[in-house]
Amino acid sequence: MCGLPLVAWLCSDWYLIGLSTSVPAIAIYIYLWYLPESPRWLLSIGKHEQASKILYKIAEANNKSEDTSVAELNSMLRKLVAKTESEERSKKS
């Protein structure tokens, strides 16, 4: 909103103002289709395999993929979720 006066000053027509403010929003909306889900959110809804695949892609991007495989990540995530659930149960009782 702070940059809108500058856009209005640079663009001489309402059509150009509308276009210059809409195109970036459309580009961000399209990019959201390619953005992966958060591994933390995927774990919270029980999608362990998808979370481990995304974590493996992150490890590949950081050149750490040789340390673990997708199956190892999946088993670690299942253990982590089981431990977290058992801690939550012990806190409730």
Side-chain angles (χ1 to χ4, degrees):
M1 294 301 289
C2 293
L4 191 57
L6 178 64
V7 171
W9 183 68
L10 292 172
C11 300
S12 60
D13 188 20
W14 281 103
Y15 178 78
L16 291 175
I17 294 172
L19 192 63
S20 63
T21 56
S22 300
V23 170
I26 292 170
I28 290 172
Y29 182 74
I30 291 171
Y31 178 69
L32 289 176
W33 290 100
Y34 297 105
L35 191 67
E37 296 289 342
S38 165
R40 186 175 185 176
W41 182 77
L42 289 170
L43 283 175
S44 70
I45 61 171
K47 296 185 177 183
H48 307 286
E49 292 177 17
Q50 287 179 346
S52 63
K53 288 178 185 176
I54 291 173
L55 286 174
Y56 188 75
K57 287 181 183 178
I58 293 170
E60 283 181 334
N62 292 323
N63 296 325
K64 300 289 183 181
S65 61
E66 65 274 353
D67 296 340
T68 57
S69 66
V70 176
E72 290 174 354
L73 277 173
N74 197 10
S75 67
M76 284 190 273
L77 291 176
R78 288 186 190 276
K79 289 178 187 177
L80 178 67
V81 169
K83 183 178 178 182
T84 305
E85 288 175 354
S86 67
E87 288 177 355
E88 287 177 0
R89 279 189 231 126
S90 66
K91 285 181 183 178
K92 288 182 181 178
S93 53

